[in-house]
């Protein structure tokens, strides 16, 4: 099917970046910054590794006190990160 109306390059990029697959990959790439925004600098500085595997966010924390707090806030963290990302990329959070 051929388009009869021209589109601007900006509109084409908006379509591309708003597609679900591309938007999820962009949100995944921004995950370290999103994590810092959601938990704050104090907890983000205690975090040694963040990785996302099949919708599960694995977070390695050095402090046992911070680990306990994050374990209690897992659902809220998942919702906050998905809201900031505007794409539901996280299904659950595992804190180690």
């Amino acid at each position: 099917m051929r388009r009869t109306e021209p589109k601007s390059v900006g509109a084409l990029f908006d379509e591309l970046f708003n597609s679900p697959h591309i938007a999820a990959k962009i949100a995944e790439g921004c995950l370290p910054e999103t994590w810092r925004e959601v938990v704050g600098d104090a907890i983000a500085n205690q975090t040694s590794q963040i990785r996302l595997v099949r919708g599960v966010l694995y977070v390695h924390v050095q402090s046992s006190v911070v680990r306990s707090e994050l374990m209690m806030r897992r659902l809220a963290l998942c919702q906050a990160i998905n809201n900031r990302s505007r794409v539901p990329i996280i299904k659950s959070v595992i804190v180690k």
Side-chain angles (χ1 to χ4, degrees):
M1 182 173 186
R2 187 173 190 189
R3 289 191 182 167
T4 56
E5 60 186 59
K7 286 192 172 186
S8 69
V9 174
L12 292 173
F13 276 127
D14 285 342
E15 280 182 25
L16 176 68
F17 291 133
N18 289 330
S19 68
H21 181 69
I22 300 295
K25 289 296 181 183
I26 291 171
E28 186 177 334
C30 296
L31 193 56
E33 294 85 18
T34 305
W35 174 257
R36 184 168 292 277
E37 290 173 4
V38 169
V39 298
D41 289 334
I43 293 177
N45 290 338
Q46 295 287 325
T47 305
S48 60
Q49 184 181 9
I50 301 171
R51 63 188 167 102
L52 184 64
V53 179
R54 294 187 187 116
V56 179
L57 180 65
Y58 293 93
V59 179
H60 292 266
V61 180
Q62 299 167 352
S63 170
S64 62
V65 175
V66 174
R67 183 179 308 119
S68 296
E69 182 173 340
L70 291 177
M71 289 292 287
M72 290 187 291
R73 294 179 43 198
R74 286 185 294 183
L75 183 60
L77 289 171
C78 183
Q79 292 172 347
I81 291 171
N82 284 337
N83 287 340
R84 293 246 180 180
S85 301
R86 298 182 185 139
V87 180
I89 59 171
I90 297 176
K91 298 174 188 169
S92 65
V93 177
I94 295 179
V95 181
K96 294 185 177 188

